Amino acid sequence: MLTFALKRLGLAVLVALTVSAVSFSLLYLSGDPASAMAGETATSADIESIRTLYGFDRPFLVQYADWLFNALQGDFGQSYYFKLPVSQLIADRLSITMLLGVCGISFALVTAIPLGVAAAVRPNSFIDRTALFISVMGQAMPSFWFGLVLIVIFSIQLNWLPPSGSGGWKNFIMPTVVLGYYAMPAIMRLTRAGMLEVLNADYIRTARAKGAGEWRVMFKHALRNAVVPVVSLAAVQMGFMLGGSIVVESIFALHGAGYLAWESIGRNDLPTVQALILVFAGFYIVFTFLSDLANAWLDPRIRVG
Amino acid sequence: MSAAASPPPVLELSGVTKTYRVKQGLFSRPKPLRAVGGVDLRIHKKDVLGLVGESGCGKSTLAKILLGLEAPTSGRVMVDGREVSGQDRTLLARRIQPIFQDPYSSLNPRKSIEDIITLPLVVHKVGDSASREQAVSKMLDLVGLPQRVRRGYPNQLSGGQRQRVAIARALVMKPEIVICDEPTSALDVSVQSQILNLLGDLRQELALTYLFISHNLAVIEHLATRVAVMYLGRIVEEATAADLFAEPRHPYTKALLASVLTPDPSMSVPDTQLGASYPNPIAPPGGCHFHPRCAAIRDICRTVPPPHVSDAKGHVDCHLYAERTQAA
Amino acid sequence: MASNIDTLAQEIQGPSPAALLRRRVFGHYGLLFGVTVLIVIVALAVLAPLLAGQDPYAQSLVARMKPPFWMEGSDPNHLLGTDHLGRDYLARLLYGARISLAIGLIAALISGLIGTTMGVAAGYFGGRVDLVVTFLINVRLAMPVVLVALAVVAVLGGSLQVVIVVLGFLLWDRFAVVMRSSTLQVRGLEYVNAAKAIGCSTRRIILSEIMPNILNNLIVVMTLEMAHAILLEAALSFLGLGVQPPTPSWGLMISEGKQMMLFEPWVIAIPGVALFILVLAINLLGDGLRDITAPENRS
Amino acid sequence: DKASDTLNVPFTKELESVDSYFNSAREGVILQRSIWDGLLFSDPETGEYKGNLATSWEWVDNTTLELKLREGVKFHNGEEFDADDVVYTVNFVADPANGAVTQRNVNWMKEARKVDKYTVQIITDGPFPAALEYLAGPVSIYPNEYYAEVGPAGMGLKPVGTGPYRVESVEPGKHFVLKKYEDYHDSPKGKATIGTIDIRTIPDVNTQLAELFSGGLDFVWGVPSDQAEKLEAMGRFNVVNESTMRIGYLEMDAAGRSGADNPMTKRAVRQAINHAIDRQAIVDNLLKGSSKVVNSACFPSQFGCEQDVTVYDYDPEKAKALLAEAGYPDGLSIDLYAYRNREYAEAMLSFLAEVGIEANLKYLQYSALRDLRNNGQTSLSFQTWGSYSINDVSAITSQFFKFGGEDFARDEEVRDWLETADTSVDPEVRKEFYAKALKKISDEAYWAPLFSYNVNYVSTEEVEFVPSPDEVVRFFQVSWR
Amino acid sequence: MSEEPILAVEGLTIDIPMAQGTLHAVRGIDFELNRGETLCIVGESGSGKSLTSLAVMGLLPKRLECTARKLAFCGTELQGLPPSAMRQLRGNRMAMIFQEPMTSLNPAYTIGDQLAEALLLHRRVGKAEARTRAVELLGKVGITAAESRLSQYPHQLSGGLRQRVMIAMALMCEPELVIADEPTTALDVTIQAQILRLLVDLQREMNMAMILVTHDLGVVARVADKVAVMYAGEVVEQGTAREIFENPSHPYTQGLLRCIPVPGRTKPGEHLGSIPGIVPSLIGKVEGCAFRTRCDLAESACAKPIPIHETEGGHSWRCIHSHMDRMPA
Ligand SMILES: Nc1ncnc2c1ncn2[C@@H]1O[C@H](COP(=O)(O)OP(=O)(O)OP(=O)(O)O)[C@@H](O)[C@H]1O
Ligand SMILES: Nc1ncnc2c1ncn2[C@@H]1O[C@H](COP(=O)(O)OP(=O)(O)OP(=O)(O)O)[C@@H](O)[C@H]1O
Ligand SMILES: [Mg+2]
Ligand SMILES: [Mg+2]
């Protein structure tokens, strides 16, 4: 168990390092950070002085090593734009993104799993077709467009929900739906496929032969087994969702990490972008790790050798 | 029968071992699993060597080693007295061909029957398309399939027919040795008998040598000239079919024979005298691997691996016979 | 009075795989719908110059923001109205289909090539290769796609080519994952062993024994990734870091139309619905392909 | 809204820092005017200078300006305002090492000296006629003790000034709350009337409008003309349009920095481009409002902005002829760089295409574009310049024609004339030399000046607001109706 | 005879709607089973054995259409019984053992949980009591150290052990009828013999009726009191084991018996008997004898309805030939 955890941790660190190296080289090898820092009205002399001040004239590898060394100590440098420590900035913005992510994935799970189960129990029934329809729609609906449509309907036409901001729970309804709907189809399909497969499994017949009722069969025997891959998927989706919150946050003017990322790209605020990529990657890694643990807990074949 | 005068065996294994590393749980480190442990075996021309043993004892692994699909961890495989590992794999492929257990997965579903049967010819660049066409016709006749199946696909055939296609593919290169890994265990009895008859006929016609793997002793008795009994990766007894069935020596062989259920309504289900526990191949029992289930167990069996007792009839690995020979 | 036992016993051969496939295709309404819509869209895209009748780039500042035909004040010359520069919306929509299709197709091809190579290599060779590929897949999955794509496009400058290449190099993960597991599955089947025992070269085994049997999965992933790429391009363009104007990309049209969406909802509705239908059709096609090819019927 | 005496307004951009010396955004200027005061105040209507934190001022010599300070002014934190504050602020920001973002705003000052508690001298770095404009604009006075303690970062998070509004809270980049400063001194700015200003950053104009519809915002500015028209038509909102000092222009690489064989080095080509674009159509259909076509390389109201220059009217035929004359009878292909107003750029693409110039739009982030410009790689770019709302032509021509990184004309004659004008304190001399320079710029068609920008201010009917041409929203002049 | 049969099936028919038409998987089969008796259903793959046993348990998938003139358990007609009543019978008075020990146990729960569940569902007992019973039964099916096995998961057991657990699970409530669907097919020969022996012993001990589904004639001969031979969805021959093996009367039964090599009886290397051809498709209309396409003795009359011949000993077969050349015993 411990060696497993250590191994996973080692792998996770390696993944994170690679991600950071790739993104660092992508970002820093092209574009001029000094100019980005200088702001819109700077002169070339301003830029030159910034270049030497921040050491952008040093060799690339030195810069990376320097960055990495500091990053390992939790110091992602200063935002070029806000002139604030990036870690503080991200910590500040992350809460909204996390909240959004948690709401989104909860929404996705709460809708997807019952639908998936219901669809699997009665394949080709009305409910199955409805579920399929919902998921097909969800996959084809561009989320930025969906968000705009929701705003037009619920904020402008009906005036039920505020179109932007993060002041109260009402602000989170539309973003949650948009973000959750993006992740829902995959989870629903996997639940359905898993349940279908599990319901055809011999041990379900065994349970029925014992005289277990349908609900018991469905929830105690089938879902427990079908949910194992769903956990992994949900973790992956959660990771994607944080990364995908860019679109949603920018539509609903939520000042979360995703929006920060988008703005920072536009502002060439490289330390922030770099740190955000790493943070999102870190979340993905953490979630998949947690899902592995959850799966081990759910599936004794993994847990006990 | 006289071992000394006979030509060298077409196929000879000495000390062949195959160890896999398997992971059990997510949290455990891989452990070695000795699927085949120190197997010595000789197959002579036109022999049918029956290989029996229970599931997981390493029969298929042995077959894969012979086919060159797996490299043995140690030991030597020799064909016509030449060691295989140095030989070109294509050369080996010309002489040894397989027939697998599952007629459903042994044929590529995307290829027509004709393509499946000619594949060996194409790979080894034998003949031109016309001669290959002829070869297919001949093979189809040989295995008793109508000519019209040649443009069909595997999913259009029944299990027995598929197995015939597999046999045709195995024989189209005119190999000397055919490795049959449970070729009939997925088939119904009525089809099984067709395939067994076919295999018997082909052997006569083409002077083939078979390694015939099965766990159905009745089938083995019907077809084999020699029989090797395998238990947990080792050959525990080997003898001619007649000898083995007339006088099984190893307690495991005895149990195997006892558990053959002949369709005789006057008999009831036999008591094999075997223990219920099936050993874990990852942590095989010490001493004689068979000792936890053996009806004739002695103290020595728990600690000391059994000796290799050879005589004119074949060989048996068992403490019982070690003493007897010593005493004699 | 031949009962079917007599006839069926004669007929040893069932339907061929092709016939079976045909039967399943025509029994799958989602697939048929997807294919039909896709064919229509492709036809529209190909025939855009004929159908549009107008230059999608021709602007007329005096004829801006004309509404589509179902609204008052529409112009019969501009069935779907005009955009903020007075360009014909229908023409832009039709030419936009070309962009979306091209992006989807080429990006999926690039990523398919990368992902399939990696996945098949990992699945077939296993061991170290598998470790490395799995690691790369992990790295790729850990990278937030939208963010990285935005960043890279921002750095390289947005053009059709850049967007296609960036998407192509970012979306290979699913190919790799699916191809790896499919290959693993097929590799364990007896006919691959049989091919090895026959003496087939590794190349032949991969190309003619394994690939044909995982091709269906490849095609399914291809369609899904195509849809994914189209959506991503639209999202990037929407965020202003994708294809550049005046290219009539649908995402860009939504982005530009967003300005007026509160007053003239049709401006975003038209390209939005077009995008939705295209992606829907491709997804239905992919789902359908998966359904009809998934369980290889065993007799 | 009026009921809660809170004006809800959006910022479009995330403001990097509230400290006005450490941001370069319009939003920063808006906050600066409300939170801090300058020594002087420039009446937005007349342009006349009035005393604010200073009560009188006088040039002691070419480079020394002496000011008498207002007494009894208190900063929001209670600190008293006196000469030390001025001296500290000026000396801090004038030192390039402290990294004030927009050096131009402060680098004309060498230092400040305290004469007595309420008298200071500001020493300029050479003669600088526009000094008063800057003192009334970007140069605001910070409390010396507080600033010394917290520095720019602290000032950004918890700003303290003397202005009509004090800062209640700052969530960097996201949310700012201003409260009316009850003890505001008797400034020409006047006291604020609205109690609370609540500013949220909402990047997208649409979202801003959606919020306006649903009552989340009271006042929005920078609304594109199309939407403004629609909003006006709805009758629920006040829509006011006001011109700004920002002008748009095409910058052409006459100097051949991007390559000696660059077509833009040919005067005929540059003139052709001038003739090719129907600026009036763009103004009428896209910018609308109070935007105007500009012909000279500056905003007409700026001091020294000569209007009597060569005018290139819209004439595609002539453009084609000029192109043919320059050796491009079949037209040419070129990259057009731009960083804002994509739709205007797109419209220009189309006009250029009509005369045979196939322009590929390269729409970049400002900073990326500036890199290219400074490296001399943009042969044709669509630029805009707002002159920091400084009503003096030096804020534009001197930025772009004095051989800086953004000078693609590299005309020595123009540079020398501008130098003379910039450093002279005699208005007539300045006028004369600016006119010479601007005429040559026009004749040589170094730029294609396009149009001036305008801003639409949209508010609910409760809000009373009078815009000024400098694009700066003065919250203290907004009131409830 | 006087006693009511524990299971009486008459005219059981199972139709499966398929894309290509209706699959007549089971076509009107009859059998009866008394207390303490063992009935073996034997037949080739796809002949409908499993469907028949699932039909008795009421476990057929819903989309299959199952009808019967009579389907009575201890006199209670099972058709039309409300699901809750059917559940009360299942696992309680009739139990089933499935073919695949590897997949028939839920991988997510311990052996103990799964064993106890059967009892907890039907008896008012506590967890502890259910555990005790589980340990007791595990002992009975020959599992040593039963106590420690309770907390193990299925994947930790070998196939033979799992099948023993399955048997123990079926017997938890001491059912009157056990249906074992090929309980030993997936097992090794040695273990097969052990499991069969265990089943037979327990059946005697508990005086249960048992239906054993198999395709292994060897098993049938050794275990059965009564045998039903199925071919293509029909019972083609039925009778006591002795009758069937010594007097096989249907050409199919005879063919089957000739196909299998029997040590000591068939000569090594000699041709085995065989049945040519393949099983016909049962999709669409099926008339006459399904075996006629493979039968040496087929005549045109075989395409017409087939009479059932019955002897006094209860031996019956479905063939146009009433008196066949009997196989030499
Ligand atoms: N590729 C592999 N990796 C790890 N273990 C393997 C591998 N192949 C086989 N084994 C293990 O080696 C042992 C022998 O397997 P093998 O397939 O040779 O048995 P077998 O006698 O053919 O069994 P069966 O009768 O079920 O076919 C088994 O315990 C099996 O789990
Ligand atoms: N759920 C199902 N859907 C469709 N067809 C089915 C289903 N279950 C069984 N069948 C078909 O019904 C026929 C009889 O099946 P059944 O399982 O009863 O055969 P069996 O005699 O038990 O065979 P085996 O020895 O292979 O277990 C077969 O042709 C099978 O394909
Ligand atoms: Mg095997
Ligand atoms: Mg069955």
Side-chain angles (χ1 to χ4, degrees), chain B residues 170-189:
Chain B
L171 297 183
V172 74
M173 289 293 294
K174 304 196 173 60
E176 285 172 44
I177 308 165
V178 179
I179 313 266
C180 313
D181 189 353
E182 312 201 20
T184 61
S185 63
L187 304 175
D188 274 322
V189 274

Side-chain angles (χ1 to χ4, degrees), chain B residues 228-282:
Chain B
V229 180
M230 215 170 167
Y231 189 80
L232 268 194
R234 301 214 176 140
I235 306 268
V236 292
E237 179 167 2
E238 205 237 310
T240 61
D243 283 342
L244 189 115
F245 282 92
E247 192 201 331
R249 294 194 283 181
H250 197 280
Y252 178 62
T253 316
K254 288 179 182 164
L256 271 183
L257 274 180
S259 48
V260 176
L261 302 179
T262 47
D264 182 347
S266 61
M267 304 215 287
S268 72
V269 183
D271 183 355
T272 54
Q273 309 268 303
L274 285 178
S277 64
Y278 181 72
N280 178 357
I282 290 189

Side-chain angles (χ1 to χ4, degrees), chain E residues 50-129:
Chain E
S50 298
L51 289 180
T52 304
S53 40
L54 288 174
V56 172
M57 289 292 287
L59 286 176
L60 281 178
K62 286 197 191 67
R63 65 187 188 90
L64 308 199
E65 293 154 18
C66 170
T67 55
R69 283 195 303 280
K70 184 174 177 190
L71 184 60
F73 175 73
C74 294
T76 322
E77 177 60 47
L78 297 179
Q79 294 180 86
L81 214 57
S84 59
M86 196 66 212
R87 273 207 303 280
Q88 275 309 312
L89 289 178
R90 274 207 296 270
N92 187 10
R93 296 180 63 197
M94 52 188 190
M96 190 155 179
I97 300 164
F98 295 102
Q99 172 174 5
E100 282 291 336
M102 294 300 173
T103 54
S104 291
L105 288 168
N106 193 329
Y109 296 103
T110 59
I111 304 299
D113 284 346
Q114 299 191 53
L115 279 170
E117 187 181 15
L119 202 62
L120 292 172
L121 280 168
H122 297 291
R123 302 266 192 281
R124 293 172 179 280
V125 294
K127 284 227 163 102
E129 223 172 309

Side-chain angles (χ1 to χ4, degrees), chain A residues 205, chain E residues 44-51 53 99 181-182 213 215:
Chain A
R205 215 173 41 184
Chain E
E44 286 181 287
S45 188
S47 55
K49 310 182 296 288
S50 298
L51 289 180
S53 40
Q99 172 174 5
D181 186 359
E182 313 208 21
V213 172
H215 57 239

Side-chain angles (χ1 to χ4, degrees), chain A residues 31-44 46-47 53 81-84 88-89 92-93 96 148 151 155-156 159 161-166 171 249-253 255-256 259-260 262-268, chain D residues 12-17 22-25 97 99-104 153 157 171-175 200-204 206-207 209-215 246 339-340 365-368 370-371 374 385 388 399 404-406:
Chain A
D32 181 357
S35 160
M37 272 185 89
E40 241 178 73
T41 47
T43 62
S44 24
D46 297 346
I47 294 170
L53 190 65
Y81 187 77
F82 287 108
K83 311 289 186 305
L84 292 171
Q88 180 191 330
L89 198 61
D92 177 38
R93 300 294 179 95
I96 283 189
L148 295 180
I151 290 183
S155 299
I156 306 302
N159 204 359
L161 297 169
S164 75
S166 51
N171 291 90
E249 286 179 16
S250 75
I251 289 173
F252 294 102
H255 293 267
Y259 174 68
L260 178 66
W262 180 47
E263 284 283 12
S264 300
I265 288 170
R267 300 189 284 243
N268 255 345
Chain D
T12 300
K13 201 177 145 176
E14 287 197 318
L15 188 60
E16 56 260 57
S17 169
F22 292 90
N23 69 57
S24 58
V101 177
T102 311
Q103 280 294 311
R104 229 198 115 75
L157 292 172
E171 292 172 54
K174 296 194 290 198
H175 190 199
R200 285 194 289 138
T201 303
I202 301 177
D204 184 42
N206 264 305
T207 319
L209 294 185
E211 285 283 2
L212 190 68
F213 285 158
S214 58
R246 180 172 299 275
Y339 73 100
R340 67 183 271 172
Q365 290 290 316
Y366 182 79
S367 52
R370 189 183 44 208
D371 288 346
N374 282 327
W385 190 248
Y388 314 113
Q399 177 88 15
E406 289 142 339

